[in-house]
Amino acid sequence: MSPNARSAWFRTLGQLLLVLALGLAAGLLLGQPWPALTAAALGVVAWHYWRLRGVLLRLTARQRLAPPSGEGVWNELDRLLYRSQAEMRTRKRRLLAMLRAYRAAAAALPDAIVVVDRDTQRVLWFNEAATPLLGLHYPRHQGAALVAALRPLPLAQWLAAGRNAEPLTDVASPVDPGMRLNLRLIPYSEELWLLVARDVTRTMRLEHMRRDFVANVSHELRTPLTVIHGYLEMLDPDDKPDWAPMLAEMQRQSQRMNQLVEDLLTLSRLEAQDHLPEEHVAMGPMLATLRREAEALSQGRHRISAVDEVGLDLLGSNKELHSAFSNLVSNAIRYTPAGGEIVIRFAREPEGCASLSVRDTGYGIPAAHLPRITERFYRVSNSRSRESGGTGLGLAIVKHVLGLHHARLEIASEVGKGSVFACRFGPERLLPRDSRHADASAA
Ligand code: ADP
């Protein structure tokens, strides 16, 4: 018999004796012992009934009633109770072990992980990697304000964006400016955020090497190409009529190589920058220029129009925005057969945004290609791109320019119907139209 069962029997026996004694005393006082004895015995039975009912309810809720062992119902119930308590203790131990294992796993991660209270923006917990990567130490930084703890990282605005915060890429670690970090904010419950910092120093170094290599090669190729191109220009096909087709092809190819080198240099230059000049970009003259360029490229083969529905200007780099927009216009002309229509539109968008879009009625792009279309040298059709004089770098340049303006490229396309490439600018990029700038740009 278990110790619990034994003490329950003793308790019950004690209560019965007490009832008997009380009943006898009451009977002696009243001269009639049996009614008092019966009432006391019924009281004991009722008390035990309620106790038994409580135990049964608990056990039924758990659906764990074991087959009776023949030692009596009290014994059985006590055994079950004892077992469920032991089970609870085992489960608690197992949960604690799991919790410790999760903590150990988080601590062993090479990325820094910081749990942040969303309302107070204070540090609740961080793993071991947060010390070498972010300079957080126990107990000093537990409960500290995150922005102050990670100064000089520019986190105030980033945290304010909350759920919509874009990852911060290639920022200097507060511990060592030579260490480069990528930061991500993951809201994982109503109250808690997870800040994940990854050391990308090595990746960034390799990326810089790749960038420098491409820029150096392109730069080195520029001079010999200019010389070859110059000599080819000097050759007159009329002097050697047999060579005329060859000469024309050589000129076309050297022109293509020149364009390739120029585009690669443009990309390298854009990649090396983290911001561009903030100028007043007059959109009236910009639309007029784009339309003129489109007409020159099309040479009357397309219907072209430019519409301004915004009446505002943009804040950004005149030169780079013009280069991005004219890339889109040139694509629209090159990938739209004669007779098609091109519409350049500056329109208002929800949430105070505005977009410069180029719509064509050309070949369109199959949906499967859209996710990769802005990668350098990615083409839907190699032959069509080459025939039309493309380098495969145009959309990569557009994406970079827009990224530097915190703007987005949105693409919608249907095969056989045409495409819309829209550059979407946030409200912070919109400026009231200023006639002085319009005049200056037109001049
Ligand atoms: P490319 O110099 O080859 O035009 P881009 O980077 O400008 O390079 O464009 C990448 C690819 O996207 C193109 O090769 C083409 O297949 C496709 N593309 C771009 N713009 C359009 C468009 N307006 N209509 C159809 N396809 C397009």
Side-chain angles (χ1 to χ4, degrees):
M1 192 188 279
S2 76
N4 278 359
R6 207 174 304 132
S7 73
W9 274 115
F10 280 130
R11 243 193 344 266
T12 315
L13 206 65
Q15 284 159 0
L16 278 173
L17 286 174
L18 187 71
V19 165
L20 223 63
L22 284 174
L24 273 174
L28 284 177
L29 276 176
L30 298 169
Q32 231 344 322
W34 294 116
L37 262 177
T38 316
L42 279 175
V44 171
V45 169
W47 183 80
H48 275 285
Y49 168 74
W50 279 111
R51 186 169 165 253
L52 177 67
R53 194 171 165 270
V55 171
L56 280 174
L57 277 177
R58 248 181 293 158
L59 289 172
T60 343
R62 286 164 165 272
Q63 297 187 331
R64 281 210 184 258
L65 268 172
S69 68
E71 290 176 33
V73 72
W74 287 116
N75 209 0
E76 185 59 24
L77 289 176
D78 271 337
R79 203 168 63 77
L80 288 171
L81 257 180
Y82 184 71
R83 204 172 81 186
S84 70
Q85 276 172 1
E87 260 174 25
M88 266 169 70
R89 272 197 298 274
T90 320
R91 279 178 69 182
K92 204 166 146 188
R93 258 201 309 276
R94 227 181 281 148
L95 274 172
L96 271 172
M98 262 169 75
L99 206 65
R100 272 192 214 108
Y102 281 133
R103 275 202 165 202
L109 280 177
D111 295 345
I113 295 178
V114 187
V115 177
V116 184
D117 184 294
R118 189 189 160 143
D119 288 336
T120 58
Q121 298 192 354
R122 287 183 180 275
V123 176
L124 297 181
W125 179 85
F126 47 89
N127 68 349
E128 276 165 30
T131 304
L133 264 59
L134 297 171
L136 295 182
H137 293 271
Y138 280 110
R140 187 159 30 117
H141 291 115
Q142 190 159 31
L146 184 72
V147 176
L150 298 188
R151 206 160 276 143
L153 280 178
L155 294 190
Q157 262 192 335
W158 190 59
L159 288 176
R163 203 169 277 279
N164 304 320
E166 293 281 325
L168 280 182
T169 49
D170 194 15
V171 291
S173 152
V175 181
D176 168 13
M179 186 194 292
R180 312 302 297 181
L181 300 177
N182 277 3
L183 301 185
R184 288 183 66 197
L185 194 62
I186 306 168
Y188 72 100
S189 81
E190 284 299 311
E191 299 94 35
L192 301 174
W193 282 341
L194 207 62
L195 178 115
V196 183
R198 172 165 294 178
D199 181 359
V200 289
T201 315
R202 211 178 115 74
T203 321
M204 283 301 141
R205 205 173 293 142
L206 288 172
E207 177 67 12
H208 279 147
M209 275 168 63
R210 180 195 63 78
R211 217 180 280 166
D212 288 351
F213 174 76
V214 174
N216 289 338
V217 169
S218 315
H219 200 76
E220 292 298 324
L221 282 173
R222 205 185 209 171
T223 316
L225 273 174
T226 315
V227 174
I228 293 172
H229 194 68
Y231 280 125
L232 282 173
E233 291 275 297
M234 281 164 61
L235 292 177
D236 189 349
D238 292 340
D239 293 343
K240 287 227 177 245
D242 296 351
W243 288 20
M246 268 186 292
L247 263 180
E249 183 59 19
M250 282 160 82
Q251 271 169 359
R252 219 178 11 255
Q253 293 300 336
S254 83
Q255 185 71 47
R256 238 192 101 216
M257 279 169 84
N258 256 337
Q259 192 55 51
L260 205 58
V261 166
E262 288 310 318
D263 281 359
L264 279 171
L265 283 171
T266 305
L267 254 182
S268 300
R269 185 171 46 75
L270 289 170
E271 280 178 333
Q273 282 169 308
D274 49 19
H275 67 277
L276 290 171
E278 307 259 283
E279 300 160 346
H280 191 117
V281 182
M283 287 306 285
M286 175 72 85
L287 287 168
T289 310
L290 291 173
R291 187 189 170 149
R292 262 200 314 278
E293 286 171 355
E295 277 163 355
L297 260 176
S298 160
Q299 299 190 323
R301 286 175 298 130
H302 307 92
R303 275 169 291 133
I304 296 166
S305 55
V307 195
D308 181 2
E309 295 168 357
V310 180
L312 295 172
D313 289 339
L314 286 178
L315 176 68
S317 158
N318 241 311
K319 179 173 158 236
E320 306 301 353
L321 284 177
H322 173 245
S323 137
F325 299 154
S326 62
N327 256 311
L328 295 181
V329 170
S330 132
N331 279 354
I333 303 278
R334 288 189 295 121
Y335 299 111
T336 303
E341 187 183 6
I342 318 285
V343 181
I344 308 163
R345 171 178 276 119
F346 190 38
R348 281 189 190 272
E349 296 285 340
E351 295 164 20
C353 300
S355 72
L356 184 295
S357 66
V358 181
R359 182 167 63 78
D360 64 55
T361 54
Y363 306 118
I365 304 165
H369 291 277
L370 287 179
R372 298 193 57 194
I373 202 85
T374 54
E375 285 174 24
R376 55 194 78 189
F377 298 117
Y378 189 90
R379 291 153 166 136
V380 176
S381 151
N382 271 335
S383 53
R384 197 176 275 163
S385 164
R386 285 208 187 97
E387 263 169 37
S388 66
T391 59
L393 295 170
L395 290 182
I397 293 176
V398 174
K399 196 176 151 198
H400 263 86
V401 170
L402 293 185
L404 287 166
H405 286 87
H406 310 291
R408 257 198 345 252
L409 179 64
E410 289 168 358
I411 309 170
S413 189
E414 208 176 321
V415 177
K417 296 224 166 132
S419 316
V420 186
F421 286 77
C423 312
R424 196 186 170 101
F425 296 89
E428 74 287 351
R429 288 274 152 195
L430 299 178
L431 296 176
R433 190 152 286 180
D434 185 339
S435 55
R436 277 174 306 150
H437 289 102
D439 294 346
S441 304

